[in-house]
Each structure stands twice: as C-alpha cells, then as structure tokens.
Amino acid sequence: MDAKQKEEIAHLRIQGMTYEQVTKQLQLSVNTVKSYCQRNQLGGRKSTVSNKHFCKQCGVEVKQILHRKLKKFCSDKCRMKWWNKHPEKLHRKSGQSIVCPICENIFFAYVSANRKYCSRECYGKSKSEVSLCRKKNIAVL
C-alpha cells in the first residue's frame, strides 16, 4: 500500500465510509484497510469516525452519552413523527387486524390486548349508545 492509498483511506473514512465501501472503491483487502485504520485511529470495530450524530427526523445534532446506546432522534416528538411517517419499517411480531364496531375502520392491535375499538372516541360513543338503550329499555346486542 502506497502513501496515496493511505491518504485516500483516511479521506474516505473521515467522510463516514465503512471498511467495505473503502475496499470496493480502492480495490484493497478488507483486512488491510481495517488494520491501517485501527493503527491510525481512523475508527476501529463498532466505532464511528465522526462523533456527530443527527436526528433522523429534523437533522439536528443529537448529543450522545458515552457507553450508552446511540440515540437516533433528538426528542420523543421527532421519534413519533418519524415512525408515523414510516410504518412499513415497524417489525411487529404478533398482532391482528380488527374492525371497529362503531366506525368500522380497520386497525392493528397486539394479540394479547383485548381491544375492540380503534380509539377512545369510539369507546365513548359505544358507552353512550349503551346508556341510551338502557334508558329506553332496548336490548343491547
């Protein structure tokens, strides 16, 4: 490996490229790139070259705490906004689609949860219907 390749490795790693990406671009062995980077403090295994992390939703820099899991979002508000925009990325292991008896919307609920209604509003409507039926002595289905 010559000096030009070493400079290229350093430049690409600082840009945030992984070992594999660097090896593909420079056509070097993965182990050669890894060992060079580890000797020259260009990020070792499971470390990042850049110490800055940005929120997936708004792009604001997220402060990280040492020896903790990396934060992906700056706040709960951003986290909820991002997940609501990307429901296809949720990995729900067990659940079922249920039809709300009041509004007839289809919603997702986990199997162990005994949900009948899609929202508190529909639950409230069902209770008001039951109370009206009781006042009029009508049988509730």
Side-chain angles (χ1 to χ4, degrees), residues 125-139:
K125 286 179 184 177
S126 74
K127 293 301 173 191
S128 64
E129 287 177 9
V130 169
S131 64
L132 284 174
C133 291
R134 283 187 182 154
K135 286 180 184 177
K136 295 179 181 179
N137 292 326
I138 299 172

PDB file of all heavy atoms in Angstrom, residues 125-139:
ATOM      1  N   LYS A 125     -68.366   6.598  22.349  1.00  0.00           N
ATOM      2  CA  LYS A 125     -69.628   6.506  21.602  1.00  0.00           C
ATOM      3  C   LYS A 125     -70.356   5.212  21.947  1.00  0.00           C
ATOM      4  O   LYS A 125     -71.586   5.191  22.075  1.00  0.00           O
ATOM      5  CB  LYS A 125     -69.372   6.567  20.107  1.00  0.00           C
ATOM      6  CG  LYS A 125     -69.015   7.943  19.610  1.00  0.00           C
ATOM      7  CD  LYS A 125     -68.754   7.915  18.113  1.00  0.00           C
ATOM      8  CE  LYS A 125     -68.311   9.279  17.620  1.00  0.00           C
ATOM      9  NZ  LYS A 125     -67.983   9.244  16.178  1.00  0.00           N
ATOM     10  N   SER A 126     -69.621   4.116  22.107  1.00  0.00           N
ATOM     11  CA  SER A 126     -70.264   2.843  22.426  1.00  0.00           C
ATOM     12  C   SER A 126     -70.917   2.896  23.797  1.00  0.00           C
ATOM     13  O   SER A 126     -72.001   2.364  24.003  1.00  0.00           O
ATOM     14  CB  SER A 126     -69.264   1.701  22.355  1.00  0.00           C
ATOM     15  OG  SER A 126     -68.387   1.736  23.467  1.00  0.00           O
ATOM     16  N   LYS A 127     -70.267   3.562  24.743  1.00  0.00           N
ATOM     17  CA  LYS A 127     -70.825   3.663  26.097  1.00  0.00           C
ATOM     18  C   LYS A 127     -72.068   4.545  26.099  1.00  0.00           C
ATOM     19  O   LYS A 127     -73.028   4.268  26.808  1.00  0.00           O
ATOM     20  CB  LYS A 127     -69.778   4.209  27.075  1.00  0.00           C
ATOM     21  CG  LYS A 127     -68.621   3.274  27.304  1.00  0.00           C
ATOM     22  CD  LYS A 127     -69.123   1.959  27.845  1.00  0.00           C
ATOM     23  CE  LYS A 127     -68.020   0.942  27.931  1.00  0.00           C
ATOM     24  NZ  LYS A 127     -68.499  -0.401  28.205  1.00  0.00           N
ATOM     25  N   SER A 128     -72.052   5.616  25.291  1.00  0.00           N
ATOM     26  CA  SER A 128     -73.229   6.492  25.242  1.00  0.00           C
ATOM     27  C   SER A 128     -74.405   5.775  24.582  1.00  0.00           C
ATOM     28  O   SER A 128     -75.552   5.962  24.975  1.00  0.00           O
ATOM     29  CB  SER A 128     -72.905   7.802  24.522  1.00  0.00           C
ATOM     30  OG  SER A 128     -72.572   7.556  23.185  1.00  0.00           O
ATOM     31  N   GLU A 129     -74.143   4.928  23.579  1.00  0.00           N
ATOM     32  CA  GLU A 129     -75.198   4.148  22.934  1.00  0.00           C
ATOM     33  C   GLU A 129     -75.806   3.150  23.918  1.00  0.00           C
ATOM     34  O   GLU A 129     -77.015   2.968  23.967  1.00  0.00           O
ATOM     35  CB  GLU A 129     -74.667   3.414  21.714  1.00  0.00           C
ATOM     36  CG  GLU A 129     -74.389   4.300  20.541  1.00  0.00           C
ATOM     37  CD  GLU A 129     -73.790   3.543  19.370  1.00  0.00           C
ATOM     38  OE1 GLU A 129     -73.754   2.302  19.403  1.00  0.00           O
ATOM     39  OE2 GLU A 129     -73.352   4.210  18.417  1.00  0.00           O
ATOM     40  N   VAL A 130     -74.961   2.515  24.725  1.00  0.00           N
ATOM     41  CA  VAL A 130     -75.438   1.535  25.702  1.00  0.00           C
ATOM     42  C   VAL A 130     -76.301   2.223  26.743  1.00  0.00           C
ATOM     43  O   VAL A 130     -77.369   1.727  27.115  1.00  0.00           O
ATOM     44  CB  VAL A 130     -74.244   0.792  26.365  1.00  0.00           C
ATOM     45  CG1 VAL A 130     -74.713  -0.020  27.557  1.00  0.00           C
ATOM     46  CG2 VAL A 130     -73.558  -0.093  25.358  1.00  0.00           C
ATOM     47  N   SER A 131     -75.871   3.395  27.204  1.00  0.00           N
ATOM     48  CA  SER A 131     -76.654   4.089  28.225  1.00  0.00           C
ATOM     49  C   SER A 131     -77.995   4.565  27.674  1.00  0.00           C
ATOM     50  O   SER A 131     -79.012   4.541  28.365  1.00  0.00           O
ATOM     51  CB  SER A 131     -75.869   5.260  28.814  1.00  0.00           C
ATOM     52  OG  SER A 131     -75.611   6.221  27.824  1.00  0.00           O
ATOM     53  N   LEU A 132     -78.027   5.001  26.402  1.00  0.00           N
ATOM     54  CA  LEU A 132     -79.300   5.398  25.782  1.00  0.00           C
ATOM     55  C   LEU A 132     -80.238   4.207  25.671  1.00  0.00           C
ATOM     56  O   LEU A 132     -81.447   4.322  25.911  1.00  0.00           O
ATOM     57  CB  LEU A 132     -79.057   5.996  24.392  1.00  0.00           C
ATOM     58  CG  LEU A 132     -78.504   7.417  24.347  1.00  0.00           C
ATOM     59  CD1 LEU A 132     -78.183   7.810  22.903  1.00  0.00           C
ATOM     60  CD2 LEU A 132     -79.517   8.394  24.934  1.00  0.00           C
ATOM     61  N   CYS A 133     -79.707   3.053  25.293  1.00  0.00           N
ATOM     62  CA  CYS A 133     -80.521   1.842  25.156  1.00  0.00           C
ATOM     63  C   CYS A 133     -81.088   1.418  26.516  1.00  0.00           C
ATOM     64  O   CYS A 133     -82.229   0.971  26.613  1.00  0.00           O
ATOM     65  CB  CYS A 133     -79.706   0.711  24.549  1.00  0.00           C
ATOM     66  SG  CYS A 133     -79.302   1.003  22.821  1.00  0.00           S
ATOM     67  N   ARG A 134     -80.312   1.572  27.578  1.00  0.00           N
ATOM     68  CA  ARG A 134     -80.784   1.192  28.912  1.00  0.00           C
ATOM     69  C   ARG A 134     -81.903   2.115  29.365  1.00  0.00           C
ATOM     70  O   ARG A 134     -82.857   1.681  30.009  1.00  0.00           O
ATOM     71  CB  ARG A 134     -79.619   1.224  29.899  1.00  0.00           C
ATOM     72  CG  ARG A 134     -78.723   0.040  29.764  1.00  0.00           C
ATOM     73  CD  ARG A 134     -77.675   0.006  30.844  1.00  0.00           C
ATOM     74  NE  ARG A 134     -76.802  -1.129  30.640  1.00  0.00           N
ATOM     75  CZ  ARG A 134     -75.557  -1.202  31.063  1.00  0.00           C
ATOM     76  NH1 ARG A 134     -75.040  -0.203  31.736  1.00  0.00           N
ATOM     77  NH2 ARG A 134     -74.844  -2.268  30.840  1.00  0.00           N
ATOM     78  N   LYS A 135     -81.780   3.401  29.044  1.00  0.00           N
ATOM     79  CA  LYS A 135     -82.815   4.349  29.422  1.00  0.00           C
ATOM     80  C   LYS A 135     -84.122   4.040  28.705  1.00  0.00           C
ATOM     81  O   LYS A 135     -85.210   4.192  29.252  1.00  0.00           O
ATOM     82  CB  LYS A 135     -82.382   5.786  29.096  1.00  0.00           C
ATOM     83  CG  LYS A 135     -81.354   6.316  30.045  1.00  0.00           C
ATOM     84  CD  LYS A 135     -80.978   7.746  29.657  1.00  0.00           C
ATOM     85  CE  LYS A 135     -79.873   8.249  30.567  1.00  0.00           C
ATOM     86  NZ  LYS A 135     -79.437   9.600  30.177  1.00  0.00           N
ATOM     87  N   LYS A 136     -84.022   3.589  27.463  1.00  0.00           N
ATOM     88  CA  LYS A 136     -85.223   3.284  26.663  1.00  0.00           C
ATOM     89  C   LYS A 136     -85.646   1.828  26.784  1.00  0.00           C
ATOM     90  O   LYS A 136     -86.575   1.392  26.120  1.00  0.00           O
ATOM     91  CB  LYS A 136     -84.953   3.624  25.203  1.00  0.00           C
ATOM     92  CG  LYS A 136     -84.725   5.097  24.965  1.00  0.00           C
ATOM     93  CD  LYS A 136     -84.438   5.373  23.504  1.00  0.00           C
ATOM     94  CE  LYS A 136     -84.193   6.848  23.262  1.00  0.00           C
ATOM     95  NZ  LYS A 136     -83.900   7.143  21.868  1.00  0.00           N
ATOM     96  N   ASN A 137     -84.942   1.042  27.621  1.00  0.00           N
ATOM     97  CA  ASN A 137     -85.224  -0.389  27.824  1.00  0.00           C
ATOM     98  C   ASN A 137     -85.156  -1.178  26.519  1.00  0.00           C
ATOM     99  O   ASN A 137     -85.992  -2.048  26.244  1.00  0.00           O
ATOM    100  CB  ASN A 137     -86.566  -0.613  28.496  1.00  0.00           C
ATOM    101  CG  ASN A 137     -86.550  -0.129  29.935  1.00  0.00           C
ATOM    102  OD1 ASN A 137     -85.507  -0.230  30.587  1.00  0.00           O
ATOM    103  ND2 ASN A 137     -87.660   0.396  30.399  1.00  0.00           N
ATOM    104  N   ILE A 138     -84.147  -0.881  25.701  1.00  0.00           N
ATOM    105  CA  ILE A 138     -83.930  -1.597  24.461  1.00  0.00           C
ATOM    106  C   ILE A 138     -82.805  -2.600  24.697  1.00  0.00           C
ATOM    107  O   ILE A 138     -81.798  -2.284  25.335  1.00  0.00           O
ATOM    108  CB  ILE A 138     -83.546  -0.636  23.322  1.00  0.00           C
ATOM    109  CG1 ILE A 138     -84.683   0.374  23.070  1.00  0.00           C
ATOM    110  CG2 ILE A 138     -83.242  -1.405  22.045  1.00  0.00           C
ATOM    111  CD1 ILE A 138     -84.319   1.472  22.100  1.00  0.00           C
ATOM    112  N   ALA A 139     -82.960  -3.796  24.151  1.00  0.00           N
ATOM    113  CA  ALA A 139     -81.914  -4.818  24.311  1.00  0.00           C
ATOM    114  C   ALA A 139     -80.677  -4.417  23.536  1.00  0.00           C
ATOM    115  O   ALA A 139     -80.762  -3.985  22.373  1.00  0.00           O
ATOM    116  CB  ALA A 139     -82.415  -6.172  23.813  1.00  0.00           C
TER     117      ALA A 139
END
